Amino acid sequence: MGKHIVILGGGTAGTMTANRLCRTYDRDECRVTVVDQDDDHLYQPGLLFVPFGLARPDHLVRSRPRQLDDAVDYKMARIDRVDLDTRTVRLAGGIQLSYDVLVVATGARLLPEETEGLTGPGWGEKVFTFYDLPGATGLHDALERFEGGRVVVDIADLPVKCPVAPLEFAFLADWYFRSRGIRDRVELTYATPLDGAFTKPVAAKALGGLLSDKGIELVTEFTLGEVDGEHGRLMSYDEREVAFDLAVVVPLHGGAEYVGRSVGLGDELGFVPVDPHTLQLPGRHEAFAIGDAAGLPASKAGSVAHFEGEVLVRNIGQFLAGQPLDASFDGHANCFVETGFHKALLIDFNYDTEPLPGHFPGPVGLPLLKESHAAHLGKLAFEWLYWHSLLPGRELPGIASAMSEHGKHHVPH
């Protein structure tokens, strides 16, 4: 009987990891069990397009076990807690799973109730999020009814899934209102806890320039403390206010609930702190975390989970063989940023290197940090790649987990 690898979470990171393991090891070498609480695998990048009528909600959801290799044992159950000392996962109904290797891949969850007033008056009427399917669908209806006023896109606080998605929403909203012929009746505001449009200087300058070009007001260092839905006000912790007629809020994020009930597993936000290069839980050599569940200084984005997966699967093998781990994960992230009008720009970066201009994946390729129709087509093509290449655990030709400097140009700040 092979070693038992238990993966908690059947989303992007968990599914890719399970399928990669099945491609790497024979059944007699390891058994793979995936646990999740439902059967709905959601293509999260598609949520951005639902409010604008550019994606159908029912096209974004597929069955979880159908995305998994036939060799994977899928268990649909709520996770109660993990006992690291006994290497046991306790599920609802008293079921226990013992493991030789644990992979935490339960992602991040939205915590709108943690912000005072956010889920109070106006929630689902003039205060929305597009970070879940019900919110994105409700926002589609609200945008169709909207005839003018101030629309505020606000990030409550960091970290959040896909940090560029709120920017993309602001850009697409500009395009949407222009296509409806009412842009002159709409004020667009983008509020962020950061000191610029993005975390890194070169990208912040480029993306901030796009906001300015499109007439979108940028409000920086705005950390959301309270929402007054009745009177249309967002209030920051330093007591600044931003008025709105329609608020699109990215709520606080935290890790899965069971992490908080599992002694020694998570931090105060419910994310799992792991070595940033090996993805191993310090002091618990048989436990790893990947994707949005991992407490890392990397973006919480699907591309990061893909690049992490290559190193993680290698390290599970190294651990089981009693060999030193591969400490090569560099925080690589790669994101298409939709900018409207059938254009997008591409950013590619890691822990140490910010998004830079140039081309990807080499000197001849898609332009970086520059709007293009080609990047927009790349964004659209990603959905097919997601279901048919990334989730099944296949590698993308010419794109390695480690970020390449090939084709990039360093620029002075």
Side-chain angles (χ1 to χ4, degrees):
M1 182 68 73
K3 299 291 187 180
H4 191 202
I5 302 171
V6 173
I7 299 172
L8 302 181
T12 304
T15 301
M16 285 194 292
T17 301
N19 290 337
R20 269 180 158 140
L21 285 166
C22 290
R23 286 176 174 276
T24 307
Y25 302 105
D26 295 332
R27 289 192 192 202
D28 58 350
E29 291 180 281
C30 66
R31 294 182 297 128
V32 179
T33 299
V34 172
V35 182
D36 210 311
Q37 61 188 357
D38 60 42
D39 187 29
D40 294 337
H41 186 114
L42 173 67
Y43 177 64
Q44 294 187 73
L47 291 172
L48 169 70
F49 298 106
V50 170
F52 305 104
L54 300 172
R56 283 180 49 182
D58 57 321
H59 286 183
L60 303 181
V61 181
R62 300 189 184 184
S63 167
R64 288 194 197 278
R66 290 188 65 182
Q67 312 314 314
L68 292 165
D69 189 283
D70 290 342
V72 174
D73 178 21
Y74 179 69
K75 296 192 180 300
M76 191 164 73
R78 186 180 62 82
I79 303 164
D80 179 46
R81 68 185 188 277
V82 173
D83 189 327
L84 291 169
D85 290 333
T86 62
R87 297 191 184 185
T88 304
V89 178
R90 300 177 188 274
L91 307 179
I95 302 167
Q96 295 189 30
L97 295 175
S98 60
Y99 61 82
D100 297 291
V101 174
L102 176 73
V103 178
V104 179
T106 32
R109 64 190 172 110
L110 308 182
L111 301 170
E113 67 282 355
E114 293 293 320
T115 299
E116 187 179 346
L118 180 53
T119 57
W123 180 245
E125 295 169 10
K126 58 180 179 178
V127 181
F128 293 88
T129 186
F130 66 94
Y131 266 55
D132 61 23
L133 203 50
T137 305
L139 186 50
H140 172 257
D141 297 336
L143 284 173
E144 283 196 327
R145 296 191 302 266
F146 197 76
E147 295 298 330
R150 193 178 199 189
V151 178
V152 179
V153 182
D154 175 76
I155 304 170
D157 205 352
L158 298 170
V160 299
K161 295 184 282 187
C162 193
V164 299
L167 272 169
E168 293 179 287
F169 188 94
F171 294 143
L172 289 176
D174 167 68
W175 181 31
Y176 173 81
F177 290 124
R178 287 184 194 280
S179 68
R180 282 186 54 194
I182 62 168
R183 182 65 177 90
D184 59 337
R185 302 208 299 270
V186 178
E187 284 182 78
L188 275 174
T189 298
Y190 183 77
T192 172
L194 298 171
D195 61 2
F198 195 65
T199 50
K200 314 288 185 179
V202 175
K205 184 177 179 183
L207 293 165
L210 273 176
L211 288 172
S212 178
D213 292 345
K214 294 174 184 293
I216 302 170
E217 178 192 14
L218 175 61
V219 178
T220 58
E221 299 178 328
F222 188 92
T223 304
L224 186 62
E226 185 181 346
V227 177
D228 179 356
E230 190 176 353
H231 300 101
R233 297 182 303 161
L234 302 179
M235 289 158 281
S236 67
Y237 279 106
D238 62 4
E239 299 183 344
R240 285 180 293 158
E241 291 187 7
V242 175
F244 67 84
D245 296 290
L246 180 65
V248 181
V249 178
V250 181
L252 292 170
H253 284 38
E257 275 189 87
Y258 76 87
V259 175
R261 297 191 292 267
S262 305
V263 177
L265 185 60
D267 61 18
E268 66 280 0
L269 295 175
F271 298 115
V272 179
V274 290
D275 183 287
H277 302 293
T278 66
L279 308 175
Q280 186 182 54
L281 191 64
R284 301 286 183 174
H285 295 168
E286 71 286 346
F288 299 82
I290 185 173
D292 295 351
L296 292 175
S299 293
K300 295 192 181 299
S303 65
V304 175
H306 171 69
F307 296 134
E308 286 172 333
E310 191 176 313
V311 176
L312 174 63
V313 168
R314 193 178 304 132
N315 277 339
I316 289 173
Q318 293 293 96
F319 165 72
L320 291 174
Q323 301 294 322
L325 299 196
D326 171 10
S328 69
F329 179 64
D330 62 359
H332 190 189
N334 182 284
C335 304
F336 288 104
V337 183
E338 277 290 301
T339 55
F341 302 93
H342 307 291
K343 290 183 179 180
L345 58 79
L346 180 61
I347 55 177
D348 189 65
F349 57 103
N350 65 10
Y351 289 141
D352 300 318
T353 304
E354 65 177 314
L356 295 170
H359 290 83
F360 177 87
V364 178
L366 289 173
L368 290 165
L369 268 182
K370 183 179 178 183
E371 283 188 290
S372 71
H373 183 58
H376 167 70
L377 294 176
K379 176 96 172 183
L380 297 183
F382 183 76
E383 183 171 359
W384 188 93
L385 282 171
Y386 179 86
W387 294 114
H388 299 284
S389 187
L390 295 179
L391 277 190
R394 299 186 178 97
E395 301 308 324
L396 298 179
I399 301 177
S401 64
M403 193 202 78
S404 172
E405 296 260 352
H406 205 43
K408 293 185 170 70
H409 313 306
H410 285 266
V411 294
H413 293 165

